[in-house]
Amino acid sequence: MTSIGSSQKPKSNSAIFLDTSLPNMARIFDYMIGGTAHFEVDRLAAAEMLKMLPSLRKWVRLRRAFIQEAAQILRLEGFTQFLDLASGMPSDDHLHAFAPGCRIVYSDINPVSVSYGRSLFSEHDNLAYIRGNGRDPEAILQAPEVLKLINLDEPVAIGLNSLQLFLTEAQVQHLATTLFDWAPIGSKLFLVFQTHGELKMPEGYYKFLELCRQAQLPIELNTLQDSVEMLQPWHTSLVEPISQFLGLPEDFITEADQEGIGMAFYAAFLLKQ
């Protein structure tokens, strides 16, 4: 047994990723989007989550499909550098696959995502994966990898993924203003707004939030208007239903997917003018 005062060799990146003593949210989400970076313990946990929130798999896959489409659009617009927050597993179908040759810094608070990303990108000069907390954006922006790969003489594409779901209103506003002050003119945020509709029966919404918490997803939803306003002073460039953005049938999002609270998904780009 190791004594309290003794030194322990830290786990390697691969050892952290391969630790299957507990399921990990990053690997669970990777499983739900059809990735390969997961284990039986994660698949079993995902099955339990889906019993409570059957629409969860669709949420996760819609968000990844948006990232893929957004990456291609932004690259065609001339963006050559990306800062991605709350990135999750950097699987083969993430940003770097759809914006080849671009400089990309991924970040996440989940140590499994970070360890896997660092191993995956160790020999890529234009890609990096860092440990970063959306509640402390200043630390992310001062990370050596960001200072090395992001050139503030040209616009930056900044992905927020699902981060807004897990932060308070004040934390989202702090994140938005910090990124706005840092980013060059012409930079863009890209993300999916996951919103609730008019709550005629608020008890249904609270029940939904409790189900999310039971599924280890302590999230908060907002209306579309509130979601956009939290990100000021960024200027709305495009906000449209995600089915429309991805060219999916209008009925792709079903009534069951809305979980009884009018839940909706919007593709969004916001600009620093």
Side-chain angles (χ1 to χ4, degrees):
M1 181 178 293
T2 305
S3 66
I4 293 175
S6 67
S7 61
Q8 284 185 293
K9 185 178 180 180
K11 287 186 177 181
S12 67
N13 287 337
S14 60
I16 294 171
F17 171 70
L18 294 171
D19 183 355
T20 59
S21 57
L22 291 171
N24 184 274
M25 196 60 69
R27 295 192 308 238
I28 290 170
F29 280 4
D30 180 76
Y31 167 67
M32 289 190 185
I33 63 171
T36 59
H38 48 78
F39 302 99
E40 182 65 15
V41 66
D42 307 304
R43 295 188 285 273
L44 291 172
E48 291 302 310
M49 292 171 69
L50 290 169
K51 288 178 183 178
M52 288 183 277
L53 296 168
S55 63
L56 181 56
R57 189 191 300 270
K58 186 176 283 189
W59 304 357
V60 175
R61 293 192 172 191
L62 280 171
R63 202 175 300 280
R64 180 53 62 92
F66 165 78
I67 291 170
Q68 295 168 349
E69 185 68 19
Q72 295 175 83
I73 290 171
L74 291 163
R75 185 167 177 260
L76 288 173
E77 289 180 357
F79 284 88
T80 60
Q81 51 184 2
F82 292 76
L83 174 62
D84 195 58
L85 308 185
S87 303
M89 280 293 186
S91 52
D92 292 340
D93 63 351
H94 217 321
L95 273 173
H96 58 280
F98 292 86
C102 292
R103 303 186 307 282
I104 302 173
V105 179
Y106 292 105
S107 71
D108 205 290
I109 197 172
N110 190 308
V112 169
S113 295
V114 178
S115 65
Y116 186 71
R118 286 176 173 168
S119 296
L120 190 66
F121 300 141
S122 61
E123 298 182 5
H124 294 262
D125 292 337
N126 63 321
L127 303 175
Y129 206 120
I130 65 173
R131 183 82 182 268
N133 187 337
R135 296 176 178 85
D136 185 12
E138 293 86 354
I140 293 174
L141 300 180
Q142 290 301 312
E145 296 87 346
V146 173
L147 298 175
K148 176 184 176 182
L149 291 177
I150 302 299
N151 177 6
L152 294 181
D153 289 330
E154 60 182 87
V156 186
I158 306 169
L160 298 187
N161 291 297
S162 59
L163 194 52
Q164 196 172 20
L165 295 175
F166 298 96
L167 302 180
T168 66
E169 181 177 350
Q171 289 167 341
V172 172
Q173 291 172 338
H174 175 67
L175 174 65
T177 55
T178 301
L179 292 172
F180 188 87
D181 292 342
W182 169 80
I185 296 292
S187 294
K188 282 188 176 181
L189 302 181
F190 63 99
L191 71 157
V192 173
F193 288 129
Q194 189 170 333
T195 67
H196 68 68
E198 183 181 353
L199 298 177
K200 297 179 180 178
M201 299 178 66
E203 61 271 18
Y205 177 58
Y206 298 127
K207 180 181 178 181
F208 168 77
L209 293 184
E210 180 55 32
L211 284 175
C212 290
R213 292 187 182 98
Q214 292 175 24
Q216 305 304 311
L217 290 169
I219 68 173
E220 293 287 342
L221 301 182
N222 298 282
T223 64
L224 178 59
Q225 180 178 344
D226 288 344
S227 298
V228 172
E229 288 179 354
M230 283 183 205
L231 293 177
Q232 291 179 354
W234 292 88
H235 174 76
T236 302
S237 176
L238 174 94
V239 176
E240 66 182 21
I242 197 164
S243 296
Q244 180 179 333
F245 178 78
L246 295 173
L248 298 170
E250 290 185 7
D251 60 355
F252 182 80
I253 304 294
T254 67
E255 186 173 341
D257 294 330
Q258 296 175 27
E259 297 286 352
I261 60 170
M263 189 162 64
F265 305 81
Y266 294 89
F269 293 83
L270 295 95
L271 172 69
K272 178 173 179 177
Q273 295 180 313

